[in-house]
Amino acid sequence: MRFRRHEVLFAASILALAGCASGSGSPTGPDSGDLRLSTDRTSYTAALLGDPGTFEEHGFTLIATFTNDGSSPVYLDRCFPDTSIPIYSVRLIDSSDPSGSAYSPFWACVGHDQQILVPPGSTRTDTLLLLGPNARDGATKEPLGALSGEMRLSYRVQSCPGDGQCLIQDAGLSPAFSVIFQP
């Protein structure tokens, strides 16, 4: 099958435009430097919640503030269309534990296009109860993940609504905070 030069150029142009339409954000979208996620403290103490027992759970309350100082709206991922808080993770800064932070939850979410809108120039505050450990070794029942150390909170930030279509790289990461585990 032979293609004429103008047919090939036309097809290449269509593919290039399609790639831009489904890409990871627009060139005029928000800059990650205009977006800030902060925590209310630089240090937290994880205390035992409930009665001591086989599957002890520790936790602490963290107040997160997300600010959009840009000129474009951004969207925070959420688990369900009506969930009031964004999907978050808690990252262990060092690699001392291969399982990462014990306070990073596992999410079982549905796909949707109802992300949390954060308009330009606005701030939102979320109160999060961070619990851990969220996983245990099946044989030993020992907790998986670090219960103490230097960590960061992370939100998934997008430049458009939709299910992960326009993620903004390096946005939605808080400064480091320390967690002290109190057995």
Side-chain angles (χ1 to χ4, degrees):
M1 185 180 232
R2 289 193 122 181
F3 294 102
R4 289 183 230 142
R5 185 172 188 265
H6 72 278
E7 291 172 323
V8 172
L9 290 174
F10 177 74
S13 298
I14 296 298
L15 288 173
L17 288 173
C20 290
S22 65
S24 60
S26 72
T28 58
D31 183 344
S32 63
D34 293 332
L35 309 171
R36 290 188 323 274
L37 179 62
S38 59
T39 59
D40 61 322
R41 298 174 40 202
T42 58
S43 180
Y44 299 89
T45 300
L48 177 64
L49 302 175
D51 296 327
T54 308
F55 294 104
E56 293 180 359
E57 191 170 52
H58 291 76
F60 56 96
T61 299
L62 179 148
I63 299 173
T65 303
F66 181 82
T67 303
N68 178 1
D69 282 332
S71 58
S72 302
V74 296
Y75 303 84
L76 303 178
D77 237 351
R78 63 174 147 189
C79 201
F80 297 100
D82 58 351
T83 304
S84 64
I85 62 168
I87 292 175
Y88 65 88
S89 63
V90 181
R91 299 181 185 179
L92 182 64
I93 292 177
D94 66 29
S95 58
S96 61
D97 192 314
S99 297
S101 169
Y103 303 101
S104 200
F106 295 102
W107 297 95
C109 302
V110 299
H112 61 85
D113 64 353
Q114 301 295 312
Q115 287 68 35
I116 299 169
L117 169 67
V118 183
S122 67
T123 297
R124 69 170 280 120
T125 301
D126 299 296
T127 301
L128 308 173
L129 177 59
L130 302 185
L131 302 172
N134 286 305
R136 293 185 179 270
D137 181 285
T140 66
K141 308 297 185 233
E142 289 298 312
L144 296 176
L147 289 162
S148 62
E150 294 291 311
M151 302 184 191
R152 289 180 186 223
L153 182 68
S154 176
Y155 282 178
R156 283 178 41 113
V157 183
Q158 302 179 172
S159 61
C160 67
D163 201 14
Q165 298 171 354
C166 318
L167 290 177
I168 302 171
Q169 298 299 321
D170 303 321
L173 189 61
S174 78
F177 56 86
S178 62
V179 178
I180 301 160
F181 172 64
Q182 193 170 48

Coordinates of all heavy atoms in Angstrom, one line a residue, residues 83-172:
T83 N -16.4 12.0 48.3 CA -15.5 12.0 49.4 C -15.0 13.4 49.7 O -14.7 14.1 48.8 CB -14.3 11.1 49.1 OG1 -14.7 9.8 48.7 CG2 -13.3 11.0 50.3
S84 N -14.9 13.8 51.0 CA -14.6 15.1 51.4 C -13.1 15.4 51.4 O -12.7 16.6 51.4 CB -15.3 15.5 52.7 OG -14.7 14.7 53.7
I85 N -12.3 14.4 51.5 CA -10.8 14.6 51.6 C -10.1 14.1 50.3 O -10.6 13.2 49.7 CB -10.2 14.0 52.8 CG1 -10.4 12.5 52.8 CG2 -10.7 14.7 54.1 CD1 -9.6 11.8 53.9
P86 N -9.0 14.7 50.0 CA -8.3 14.2 48.8 C -7.6 12.8 49.1 O -7.4 12.5 50.3 CB -7.2 15.2 48.6 CG -7.5 16.4 49.4 CD -8.4 15.9 50.5
I87 N -7.3 12.1 48.1 CA -6.4 10.9 48.2 C -5.1 11.4 48.6 O -4.5 12.4 48.1 CB -6.3 10.1 46.9 CG1 -7.7 9.5 46.5 CG2 -5.2 9.1 47.0 CD1 -7.7 8.8 45.2
Y88 N -4.5 10.8 49.7 CA -3.2 11.2 50.1 C -2.3 10.0 50.4 O -2.8 8.9 50.5 CB -3.3 12.1 51.4 CG -3.8 11.3 52.6 CD1 -3.0 10.6 53.4 CD2 -5.2 11.3 52.9 CE1 -3.5 9.9 54.5 CE2 -5.7 10.6 54.0 CZ -4.8 9.9 54.8 OH -5.3 9.2 55.8
S89 N -1.0 10.2 50.4 CA -0.1 9.2 50.8 C 0.9 9.9 51.8 O 1.0 11.1 51.8 CB 0.6 8.6 49.6 OG 1.4 9.5 49.0
V90 N 1.5 9.0 52.6 CA 2.6 9.5 53.5 C 3.8 8.8 53.1 O 3.9 7.6 53.1 CB 2.2 9.2 55.0 CG1 3.3 9.7 55.9 CG2 0.8 9.7 55.3
R91 N 4.8 9.6 52.7 CA 6.1 9.0 52.2 C 7.2 9.1 53.2 O 7.4 10.1 53.9 CB 6.5 9.8 51.0 CG 5.5 9.8 49.8 CD 6.1 10.6 48.7 NE 5.1 10.7 47.6 CZ 5.3 11.4 46.5 NH1 6.5 12.0 46.3 NH2 4.4 11.4 45.6
L92 N 7.9 8.0 53.4 CA 9.0 7.9 54.2 C 10.2 8.5 53.4 O 10.4 8.2 52.3 CB 9.4 6.5 54.6 CG 10.5 6.2 55.5 CD1 10.3 6.8 56.9 CD2 10.8 4.7 55.7
I93 N 10.9 9.5 54.0 CA 11.9 10.2 53.3 C 13.2 9.3 53.0 O 13.7 9.3 51.9 CB 12.3 11.5 54.0 CG1 11.1 12.5 53.9 CG2 13.6 12.1 53.3 CD1 11.3 13.8 54.6
D94 N 13.6 8.7 54.1 CA 14.8 7.8 53.8 C 14.3 6.4 53.4 O 13.2 6.1 53.4 CB 15.7 7.8 55.1 CG 15.1 7.1 56.3 OD1 14.2 6.2 56.1 OD2 15.4 7.4 57.4
S95 N 15.3 5.6 53.1 CA 14.9 4.2 52.6 C 15.2 3.2 53.7 O 15.5 2.0 53.4 CB 15.7 3.9 51.4 OG 17.1 4.0 51.6
S96 N 15.1 3.6 55.0 CA 15.4 2.7 56.1 C 14.4 1.5 56.2 O 14.8 0.4 56.7 CB 15.4 3.4 57.4 OG 14.1 4.0 57.7
D97 N 13.2 1.6 55.7 CA 12.3 0.5 55.7 C 11.8 0.3 54.2 O 11.2 1.3 53.7 CB 11.1 0.9 56.6 CG 10.2 -0.3 56.9 OD1 9.8 -1.0 55.9 OD2 9.8 -0.5 58.0
P98 N 12.0 -0.8 53.7 CA 11.6 -1.0 52.3 C 10.1 -0.9 52.1 O 9.6 -0.7 50.9 CB 12.1 -2.5 52.0 CG 12.4 -3.1 53.3 CD 12.6 -2.0 54.2
S99 N 9.3 -1.0 53.1 CA 7.8 -0.9 53.0 C 7.4 0.5 53.0 O 6.2 0.8 52.9 CB 7.1 -1.7 54.1 OG 7.4 -3.1 54.0
G100 N 8.3 1.5 53.3 CA 7.9 2.9 53.3 C 7.3 3.3 54.7 O 7.5 2.7 55.7
S101 N 6.4 4.2 54.6 CA 5.7 4.7 55.8 C 4.5 3.8 56.2 O 3.8 3.4 55.3 CB 5.2 6.1 55.6 OG 4.3 6.5 56.6
A102 N 4.4 3.5 57.5 CA 3.3 2.7 57.9 C 2.0 3.4 57.9 O 0.9 2.8 58.1 CB 3.6 2.2 59.4
Y103 N 2.0 4.8 57.7 CA 0.8 5.6 57.8 C 0.2 5.9 56.4 O -0.8 6.6 56.4 CB 1.2 6.9 58.5 CG 1.7 6.7 59.9 CD1 3.1 6.8 60.2 CD2 0.9 6.3 61.0 CE1 3.6 6.5 61.4 CE2 1.4 6.0 62.2 CZ 2.7 6.1 62.4 OH 3.2 5.9 63.7
S104 N 0.8 5.4 55.4 CA 0.3 5.6 54.1 C -0.9 4.6 53.8 O -0.6 3.4 53.8 CB 1.4 5.4 53.0 OG 1.0 6.1 51.8
P105 N -2.1 5.1 53.6 CA -3.2 4.2 53.5 C -3.3 3.5 52.2 O -2.6 3.9 51.2 CB -4.4 5.1 53.7 CG -4.0 6.4 53.3 CD -2.5 6.5 53.6
F106 N -4.0 2.4 52.1 CA -4.3 1.7 50.8 C -5.6 2.2 50.4 O -6.6 2.3 51.2 CB -4.3 0.2 51.0 CG -3.0 -0.4 51.4 CD1 -2.8 -0.8 52.7 CD2 -2.0 -0.6 50.5 CE1 -1.5 -1.3 53.1 CE2 -0.8 -1.1 50.8 CZ -0.5 -1.5 52.2
W107 N -5.8 2.6 49.1 CA -7.0 3.1 48.6 C -7.6 2.1 47.6 O -6.9 1.6 46.8 CB -6.7 4.4 47.9 CG -6.2 5.5 48.8 CD1 -4.9 5.8 49.0 CD2 -6.9 6.4 49.6 NE1 -4.8 6.9 49.8 CE2 -6.0 7.2 50.2 CE3 -8.3 6.6 49.8 CZ2 -6.4 8.2 51.1 CZ3 -8.7 7.6 50.7 CH2 -7.8 8.4 51.4
A108 N -8.9 1.9 47.7 CA -9.7 1.1 46.8 C -10.8 2.0 46.3 O -11.9 2.1 46.8 CB -10.3 -0.1 47.5
C109 N -10.5 2.7 45.2 CA -11.3 3.8 44.7 C -12.0 3.4 43.4 O -11.6 2.5 42.7 CB -10.5 5.1 44.5 SG -9.6 5.6 46.0
V110 N -13.0 4.2 43.0 CA -13.7 4.1 41.7 C -13.2 5.2 40.8 O -12.8 6.3 41.2 CB -15.2 4.2 41.9 CG1 -15.7 3.1 42.8 CG2 -15.6 5.5 42.4
G111 N -13.2 4.9 39.5 CA -12.9 6.0 38.6 C -14.1 6.9 38.4 O -15.2 6.5 38.4
H112 N -13.8 8.2 38.3 CA -14.8 9.3 38.2 C -14.2 10.6 37.7 O -12.9 10.7 37.6 CB -15.6 9.5 39.5 CG -14.7 9.9 40.6 ND1 -14.4 11.2 40.9 CD2 -14.1 9.2 41.6 CE1 -13.6 11.3 41.9 NE2 -13.4 10.1 42.4
D113 N -15.0 11.6 37.5 CA -14.5 12.9 37.0 C -14.9 14.0 38.0 O -15.2 15.1 37.6 CB -14.9 13.2 35.6 CG -16.4 13.3 35.4 OD1 -17.1 13.0 36.4 OD2 -16.8 13.6 34.3
Q114 N -15.0 13.7 39.3 CA -15.5 14.6 40.3 C -14.4 15.0 41.3 O -14.6 14.9 42.5 CB -16.7 14.0 41.0 CG -17.9 13.7 40.1 CD -18.5 14.9 39.4 OE1 -18.7 15.9 40.1 NE2 -18.7 14.8 38.1
Q115 N -13.3 15.4 40.8 CA -12.2 15.8 41.6 C -12.5 17.0 42.4 O -13.4 17.8 42.1 CB -10.9 15.9 40.8 CG -10.3 14.6 40.3 CD -11.1 13.9 39.3 OE1 -11.7 14.5 38.5 NE2 -11.1 12.6 39.3
I116 N -11.7 17.3 43.4 CA -11.9 18.5 44.3 C -11.3 19.7 43.6 O -10.1 19.7 43.3 CB -11.3 18.3 45.7 CG1 -12.0 17.1 46.4 CG2 -11.4 19.6 46.5 CD1 -11.3 16.6 47.6
L117 N -12.1 20.7 43.2 CA -11.7 21.9 42.6 C -11.0 22.8 43.6 O -11.6 23.1 44.7 CB -12.9 22.6 41.9 CG -12.6 24.0 41.4 CD1 -11.7 24.0 40.2 CD2 -13.9 24.7 41.0
V118 N -9.8 23.3 43.3 CA -9.2 24.4 44.1 C -8.9 25.5 43.1 O -8.0 25.5 42.3 CB -7.9 23.9 44.7 CG1 -7.3 25.0 45.6 CG2 -8.1 22.6 45.5
P119 N -9.8 26.6 43.2 CA -9.7 27.7 42.3 C -8.4 28.5 42.5 O -7.8 28.4 43.5 CB -10.9 28.6 42.6 CG -11.8 27.7 43.4 CD -11.0 26.7 44.1
P120 N -8.0 29.3 41.5 CA -6.8 30.1 41.7 C -7.0 31.1 42.9 O -8.1 31.6 43.1 CB -6.8 30.9 40.4 CG -7.8 30.4 39.5 CD -8.7 29.5 40.2
G121 N -5.9 31.2 43.6 CA -5.9 32.1 44.7 C -6.6 31.6 46.0 O -6.8 32.3 46.9
S122 N -7.0 30.3 46.0 CA -7.7 29.8 47.2 C -6.9 28.8 47.9 O -5.9 28.2 47.5 CB -9.0 29.2 46.7 OG -8.8 28.1 46.0
T123 N -7.4 28.5 49.1 CA -6.7 27.6 50.1 C -7.8 26.7 50.6 O -8.9 27.1 50.9 CB -6.0 28.3 51.2 OG1 -5.0 29.2 50.7 CG2 -5.4 27.4 52.2
R124 N -7.4 25.4 50.8 CA -8.3 24.5 51.5 C -7.6 23.8 52.6 O -6.4 23.6 52.5 CB -8.9 23.4 50.5 CG -8.0 22.4 50.0 CD -8.7 21.3 49.2 NE -9.2 20.3 50.1 CZ -10.5 19.9 50.2 NH1 -11.4 20.5 49.5 NH2 -10.9 19.0 51.1
T125 N -8.3 23.4 53.6 CA -7.7 22.7 54.8 C -8.4 21.4 55.0 O -9.6 21.3 55.0 CB -7.8 23.6 56.0 OG1 -7.2 24.9 55.8 CG2 -7.2 23.0 57.3
D126 N -7.6 20.4 55.3 CA -8.1 19.0 55.5 C -7.6 18.5 56.9 O -6.4 18.7 57.1 CB -7.7 18.1 54.4 CG -8.2 18.5 53.1 OD1 -9.5 18.5 52.9 OD2 -7.4 18.8 52.2
T127 N -8.4 18.0 57.7 CA -8.0 17.3 58.9 C -7.9 15.8 58.7 O -9.0 15.2 58.4 CB -8.9 17.7 60.1 OG1 -9.0 19.1 60.2 CG2 -8.5 17.0 61.4
L128 N -6.7 15.3 58.8 CA -6.5 13.9 58.4 C -6.1 13.1 59.7 O -5.2 13.5 60.4 CB -5.4 13.7 57.4 CG -5.6 14.6 56.1 CD1 -4.3 14.5 55.3 CD2 -6.8 14.1 55.4
L129 N -6.7 12.0 59.9 CA -6.3 11.1 61.0 C -5.4 10.0 60.4 O -5.9 9.2 59.6 CB -7.5 10.4 61.7 CG -7.2 9.4 62.8 CD1 -6.4 10.0 63.9 CD2 -8.5 8.8 63.3
L130 N -4.1 10.1 60.6 CA -3.2 9.2 60.0 C -3.0 8.0 61.0 O -2.7 8.2 62.1 CB -1.8 9.9 59.8 CG -1.9 11.1 58.9 CD1 -0.5 11.6 58.6 CD2 -2.6 10.8 57.6
L131 N -3.3 6.8 60.5 CA -3.3 5.6 61.2 C -2.3 4.6 60.7 O -2.0 4.6 59.5 CB -4.7 4.9 61.2 CG -5.9 5.7 61.7 CD1 -7.2 5.0 61.4 CD2 -5.7 6.0 63.2
G132 N -1.7 3.8 61.6 CA -0.7 2.8 61.1 C -0.5 1.8 62.2 O -0.8 2.1 63.4
P133 N 0.0 0.7 61.9 CA 0.4 0.3 60.6 C -0.8 -0.1 59.7 O -1.8 -0.6 60.3 CB 1.3 -0.9 60.8 CG 0.8 -1.5 62.1 CD 0.3 -0.4 62.9
N134 N -0.7 0.1 58.4 CA -1.8 -0.3 57.5 C -1.6 -1.7 56.9 O -2.4 -2.1 56.1 CB -2.0 0.8 56.5 CG -2.6 2.0 57.0 OD1 -3.7 1.9 57.6 ND2 -2.0 3.1 56.9
A135 N -0.5 -2.3 57.2 CA -0.2 -3.7 56.7 C 0.6 -4.4 57.8 O 1.4 -3.8 58.5 CB 0.5 -3.6 55.4
R136 N 0.5 -5.7 57.8 CA 1.3 -6.6 58.7 C 1.7 -7.8 57.9 O 1.1 -8.2 57.0 CB 0.4 -7.0 59.9 CG 0.1 -5.9 60.8 CD -0.7 -6.4 62.0 NE -1.0 -5.3 62.9 CZ -0.2 -4.8 63.9 NH1 1.0 -5.4 64.1 NH2 -0.5 -3.8 64.6
D137 N 2.8 -8.3 58.4 CA 3.4 -9.6 57.8 C 2.4 -10.7 58.1 O 1.9 -10.8 59.3 CB 4.7 -9.9 58.4 CG 5.3 -11.1 57.9 OD1 4.9 -12.2 58.2 OD2 6.3 -11.0 57.1
G138 N 2.0 -11.4 57.1 CA 1.0 -12.5 57.3 C 1.4 -13.6 58.2 O 0.5 -14.1 58.9
A139 N 2.6 -13.9 58.3 CA 3.1 -15.0 59.1 C 3.4 -14.5 60.6 O 3.0 -15.1 61.5 CB 4.3 -15.6 58.5
T140 N 4.2 -13.4 60.7 CA 4.6 -12.9 62.0 C 3.7 -11.9 62.7 O 3.8 -11.7 63.8 CB 6.0 -12.3 61.9 OG1 5.9 -11.1 61.1 CG2 7.0 -13.2 61.2
K141 N 2.8 -11.3 61.9 CA 1.9 -10.3 62.4 C 2.6 -9.0 62.7 O 2.0 -8.1 63.3 CB 1.0 -10.8 63.6 CG 0.3 -12.1 63.3 CD -0.7 -12.0 62.2 CE -1.5 -13.2 62.1 NZ -1.5 -13.8 60.8
E142 N 3.9 -8.9 62.4 CA 4.7 -7.7 62.6 C 4.2 -6.6 61.7 O 3.9 -6.9 60.5 CB 6.2 -8.0 62.5 CG 6.8 -8.8 63.6 CD 6.7 -8.2 64.9 OE1 7.0 -7.0 65.1 OE2 6.2 -8.9 65.9
P143 N 4.3 -5.3 62.2 CA 3.9 -4.2 61.3 C 4.8 -4.1 60.1 O 6.0 -4.3 60.3 CB 3.9 -3.0 62.2 CG 4.4 -3.5 63.5 CD 4.6 -4.9 63.5
L144 N 4.3 -3.7 59.0 CA 5.1 -3.4 57.8 C 5.1 -1.9 57.7 O 4.0 -1.2 57.7 CB 4.5 -4.0 56.6 CG 4.5 -5.5 56.5 CD1 3.8 -6.0 55.3 CD2 5.9 -6.1 56.6
G145 N 6.3 -1.3 57.5 CA 6.4 0.1 57.3 C 7.0 0.8 58.6 O 6.8 0.3 59.7
A146 N 7.6 1.9 58.4 CA 8.1 2.7 59.5 C 7.1 3.4 60.2 O 6.2 4.1 59.7 CB 9.2 3.7 58.9
L147 N 7.1 3.3 61.6 CA 6.2 4.0 62.4 C 6.7 5.3 63.0 O 6.0 6.1 63.6 CB 5.8 3.1 63.6 CG 4.9 1.9 63.2 CD1 4.9 0.8 64.3 CD2 3.4 2.4 62.9
S148 N 8.0 5.5 62.7 CA 8.7 6.8 63.1 C 9.7 7.2 62.0 O 10.1 6.3 61.2 CB 9.4 6.6 64.5 OG 10.4 5.7 64.4
G149 N 10.0 8.4 62.0 CA 11.0 8.9 61.1 C 10.5 10.2 60.4 O 9.5 10.8 60.7
E150 N 11.3 10.6 59.4 CA 11.0 11.8 58.6 C 10.1 11.4 57.5 O 10.4 10.5 56.7 CB 12.3 12.5 58.1 CG 13.2 13.0 59.2 CD 12.6 14.2 59.9 OE1 12.2 15.2 59.2 OE2 12.6 14.2 61.1
M151 N 9.0 12.1 57.3 CA 8.0 11.8 56.3 C 7.5 13.1 55.6 O 7.7 14.2 56.1 CB 6.8 11.0 57.0 CG 7.3 9.8 57.7 SD 6.0 8.8 58.3 CE 7.0 7.6 59.3
R152 N 6.7 12.8 54.6 CA 6.1 13.9 53.8 C 4.7 13.5 53.5 O 4.4 12.3 53.1 CB 6.8 14.3 52.5 CG 8.1 14.9 52.8 CD 8.8 15.2 51.4 NE 10.1 15.8 51.7 CZ 10.6 16.8 51.1 NH1 10.0 17.4 50.1 NH2 11.8 17.2 51.4
L153 N 3.8 14.4 53.5 CA 2.4 14.2 53.0 C 2.4 14.5 51.5 O 3.0 15.4 51.0 CB 1.4 15.1 53.8 CG -0.1 14.9 53.4 CD1 -0.6 13.6 53.9 CD2 -0.8 16.1 54.0
S154 N 1.6 13.7 50.8 CA 1.5 13.9 49.3 C 0.0 13.9 48.9 O -0.7 13.0 49.3 CB 2.3 12.9 48.6 OG 2.2 13.0 47.2
Y155 N -0.4 14.8 48.0 CA -1.7 14.8 47.3 C -1.4 14.6 45.9 O -0.4 15.0 45.3 CB -2.4 16.2 47.5 CG -3.1 16.5 48.8 CD1 -3.7 17.7 49.0 CD2 -3.1 15.5 49.8 CE1 -4.3 18.0 50.2 CE2 -3.7 15.8 51.0 CZ -4.4 17.1 51.2 OH -5.0 17.4 52.4
R156 N -2.4 14.1 45.1 CA -2.3 14.0 43.7 C -3.0 15.2 43.1 O -4.2 15.4 43.3 CB -3.0 12.7 43.2 CG -2.1 11.5 43.4 CD -2.8 10.2 43.0 NE -3.5 10.3 41.7 CZ -3.2 9.7 40.6 NH1 -2.2 8.9 40.5 NH2 -4.0 9.8 39.5
V157 N -2.3 16.0 42.4 CA -2.8 17.3 41.9 C -2.8 17.2 40.4 O -1.9 16.8 39.7 CB -1.9 18.5 42.3 CG1 -2.5 19.8 41.9 CG2 -1.7 18.5 43.8
Q158 N -3.9 17.7 39.8 CA -4.1 17.7 38.3 C -4.5 19.1 37.8 O -5.0 19.9 38.6 CB -5.3 16.7 38.0 CG -5.1 15.3 38.4 CD -6.3 14.4 38.1 OE1 -6.2 13.3 38.2 NE2 -7.4 14.9 37.5
S159 N -4.2 19.3 36.5 CA -4.5 20.6 35.9 C -5.9 20.5 35.2 O -6.4 21.5 34.7 CB -3.5 21.0 34.9 OG -3.4 20.0 33.9
C160 N -6.5 19.4 35.2 CA -7.9 19.2 34.6 C -8.6 18.2 35.4 O -8.0 17.3 36.0 CB -7.7 18.8 33.1 SG -7.1 17.2 32.9
P161 N -10.0 18.2 35.3 CA -10.8 17.2 36.0 C -10.6 15.9 35.1 O -10.3 15.9 34.0 CB -12.2 17.7 35.9 CG -12.2 18.7 34.8 CD -10.8 19.2 34.7
G162 N -10.8 14.8 35.8 CA -10.7 13.5 35.1 C -9.9 12.5 36.0 O -9.4 12.9 37.0
D163 N -9.8 11.3 35.6 CA -9.2 10.3 36.4 C -7.7 10.1 36.1 O -7.3 9.2 35.4 CB -10.0 9.0 36.2 CG -9.8 8.0 37.3 OD1 -9.3 8.4 38.4 OD2 -10.1 6.8 37.1
G164 N -6.9 11.0 36.6 CA -5.4 10.9 36.5 C -4.9 11.4 35.1 O -3.8 11.0 34.8
Q165 N -5.7 12.1 34.4 CA -5.3 12.5 33.0 C -4.2 13.6 32.9 O -3.5 13.6 32.0 CB -6.5 12.9 32.2 CG -7.5 11.8 32.1 CD -8.8 12.3 31.5 OE1 -9.0 13.4 31.2 NE2 -9.7 11.3 31.2
C166 N -4.2 14.5 33.9 CA -3.3 15.7 33.7 C -2.6 15.9 35.0 O -2.6 17.0 35.6 CB -4.2 16.9 33.5 SG -5.5 16.7 32.3
L167 N -1.9 14.9 35.5 CA -1.1 15.1 36.7 C 0.0 16.2 36.6 O 0.6 16.3 35.6 CB -0.4 13.8 37.1 CG -1.4 12.7 37.6 CD1 -0.6 11.4 37.9 CD2 -2.1 13.1 38.8
I168 N 0.1 17.0 37.6 CA 1.1 18.0 37.7 C 2.3 17.4 38.5 O 2.2 17.2 39.7 CB 0.6 19.3 38.3 CG1 -0.6 19.8 37.5 CG2 1.7 20.3 38.3 CD1 -1.3 21.0 38.2
Q169 N 3.4 17.2 37.8 CA 4.6 16.6 38.5 C 5.1 17.6 39.5 O 5.1 18.8 39.4 CB 5.7 16.3 37.4 CG 5.3 15.3 36.4 CD 4.9 14.0 37.0 OE1 5.5 13.5 37.9 NE2 3.9 13.3 36.4
D170 N 5.6 17.0 40.6 CA 6.2 17.7 41.7 C 5.3 18.7 42.5 O 5.7 19.6 43.1 CB 7.5 18.5 41.2 CG 8.5 17.6 40.6 OD1 8.7 16.4 41.1 OD2 9.1 18.0 39.6
A171 N 4.0 18.5 42.3 CA 3.0 19.3 43.1 C 2.4 18.5 44.2 O 2.4 17.3 44.1 CB 1.9 19.8 42.1
G172 N 1.9 19.1 45.2 CA 1.2 18.4 46.3 C 2.1 17.6 47.2 O 1.7 16.6 47.7

